[in-house]
Amino acid sequence: MLFDIRRILGGLFAVYGVILVVVGLLDGAEEIAKAEGVRINLWTGIGMLVLAAIFLVWERLRPKDVPDPSDDASGDA
Amino acid sequence: MLALAPQDLRLDVNALDYLILALYFAVVVGIGFAARRAIRSSSDFFLAGRALPAWITGLAFVSANLGAIEILGMAANGAQYGLMTVHYYWIGAIPAMVFLGIVMMPFYYRSKVHSVPEFLRRRFNPATQLFNAIAFAVAQVLIAGINLYALALVMEALLGWPLWLSVIVSAAIVLAYITLGGLSSAIYNEVMQFFVIIAGLVPVVVLGLIRVGGFEGLGQKVRESVLGDGALHTWSNTATTDNPLGANWIGIVFGLGFVLSFGYWTTNFAEVQRGLSARNTNAARLTPIVAAYPKLLIPVVTVIPGLIALVLFSNLGKDGGPEYNYAIPLLMNEFLPNGVLGVAVTGLLASFMAGMAANISGFNTVFTYDIWKGHVNGEKSDEFYVRLGRIATIGGVVAGIGTAFIAAGFSNIMNYLQALFAFFNAPLFATFIIGLFWKRMTPWAGFWGIIAGTLAAFAVYIPYRAGILDLGTDLNASFVAAGAAFLVDAVISVVITLVTTPKPEEELRGLVYGLTDVDLKDDSIAGDKAWYRSPVILGSGALVLAAAFYLPFL
């Protein structure tokens, strides 16, 4: 099969997350006022980092999505 | 309430937003190059090697339909018709997707066909295949053109890009990653686009709800708006057509829920193709069912922003004000600071391209297998067809650019798409459903049924467009046209069957319900027996949720 899409998703959202968190911390009063008083960049950035972590951990825990037939024989019983 | 002039659509994007946009498209093209290395055969190019797990094909399935036209169009419908728009999701999409997964997908997947028209050839005859292939190919190019034109219009309004620049740049990106990586590239990008568009839309919804005072405040304000209390209900007053949608319950249940939606979701190859790329029968069946769960929740990021825009912008959809289709971009402009704004713009642009890529990857497969290999020259090597698929991709994109301007004459793009689906998918569904369950149905009944059904749709829709036939709203007209297409197809199919010769049973094994193909091996893998991989259990769950979601909004 092809390369693992989870790594790409994890990587892209990790980069986006870091950018948005930094921008969110630097946001001035004007940006915050525009977003109804919410540091929306910061919160979206944190959300993206969590998503990135989920994809990367999932890929680490189950490297191939296709389960190895040999270690599933016991699980089916 | 804010009154807006058209020039207010321009978003205040800066270098940061463009950085986010550029990063995304660098990854998109990168996926194309990486996928290219994995392509060794036509099965790799056209079916992604039949190796993908259900969560990937499922997200691609929902994403292939989550083009920007769908997002902007459904937000527009939300602002125009209120909560009745959710019918498109909960009675429209969900039952059809579950039906595709539980009943129809095994026939598609296990018959090892590359495409829906190829299935028609096996079940009926080559003439049926050719008619459907040409209709599909033309429709895909038209829809790709609509996508491209809509994208260019939105980019011009939001970012000030000239029309030609957006068309060329986005067509070039789609061309690059489909030509390089084929279906795997399209599917991987669809999965990525799904998450980016959601990441861009959720902040809009959250901030919009804060502004209008949460769900309660929104309900209050919608009641006071031009739409009134009717916009907060989905089924009340559907005994008559005295409701925002202008359709009665028969139109909603049979026209939208049954004929239009089943036609679209179960026979539209741009969707079904995602299931065919799954790694085994169970994953193929799970594809539309996995997709049903996100689909249940999509109205939160389409219909709700539509309603928020309706109550915030007093002249939305009025003369001199912005069009309904700009509901979401207006909210982005209103609430999002640079950064998240870049994510939302990226999501919109990505979903335009994903929609177009789905059309193009469906087109190149049908052109290569069903038109060229099936009816022009089927004797060439496997590499020849991969090369032909790449050439067809280029041809499809160029034709899409050329036809982009057909969409220009229509005020609400969704209605135009619905019209196209009514013409090509509604009769097809009648043919499929009869052909799958009635082994006596003959090859020529398949052919003439589809032709007659398609003509019936035209016979209803064209007089409506010309003003000869009064069917109320555009949406109601498409429900009626689809219903007519379905009925005429069914009647003609039965009549022709009675006077022509059926195929011998031997040739129909694996293609008709009750005639199983004994030679097919069980392709299930360990773990497929678990309840969370059961199409029937998960599919029933989606149906129950769809019904439950209606309860607060009857």
Side-chain angles (χ1 to χ4, degrees), chain B residues 344-382:
Chain B
V345 170
T346 303
L348 267 190
L349 204 51
S351 64
F352 270 119
M353 287 191 205
M356 183 179 170
N359 304 136
I360 296 295
S361 58
F363 168 82
N364 67 18
T365 308
V366 164
F367 180 83
T368 305
Y369 278 98
D370 298 300
I371 297 178
W372 199 274
K373 196 176 181 178
H375 295 269
V376 179
N377 187 345
E379 306 292 312
K380 298 281 186 159
S381 67
D382 199 56

Side-chain angles (χ1 to χ4, degrees), chain B residues 2-90:
Chain B
L2 304 160
L4 291 153
Q7 67 269 25
D8 288 328
L9 285 168
R10 189 65 52 83
L11 299 176
D12 196 10
V13 286
N14 66 10
L16 174 66
D17 301 313
Y18 277 114
L19 171 73
I20 288 171
L21 189 65
L23 273 174
Y24 183 83
F25 287 104
V27 175
V28 165
V29 177
I31 288 179
F33 277 102
R36 186 195 164 95
R37 286 183 301 148
I39 290 175
R40 284 182 202 89
S41 68
S42 61
S43 164
D44 291 336
F45 187 80
F46 295 108
L47 287 174
R50 284 193 168 223
L52 299 172
W55 74 269
I56 292 182
T57 55
L59 287 177
F61 187 97
V62 75
S63 211
N65 168 261
L66 199 62
I69 293 183
E70 162 85 9
I71 292 169
L72 300 182
M74 283 300 168
N77 285 341
Q80 207 171 348
Y81 306 114
L83 283 184
M84 289 186 86
T85 309
V86 300
H87 289 315
Y88 278 99
Y89 298 87
W90 298 341

Side-chain angles (χ1 to χ4, degrees), chain B residues 3 21 25 37 40 53 55 67 167 176 189 193 246 262 281 286 343 346 382 390 449 452 490 524:
Chain B
L21 189 65
F25 287 104
R37 286 183 301 148
R40 284 182 202 89
W55 74 269
V167 169
N189 279 308
Q193 175 254 331
F262 275 68
T281 310
L286 282 176
V343 175
T346 303
D382 199 56
R390 291 198 160 114
S524 62

Side-chain angles (χ1 to χ4, degrees), chain B residues 30 83 126 130 149 165 178 245 264 288 292 352 354 401 483 505 533 538:
Chain B
L83 283 184
L130 188 62
Y149 179 73
L165 181 73
I178 305 289
L245 205 54
Y264 174 71
F352 270 119
I401 295 172
E505 271 190 21
R533 285 198 186 157
L538 292 187

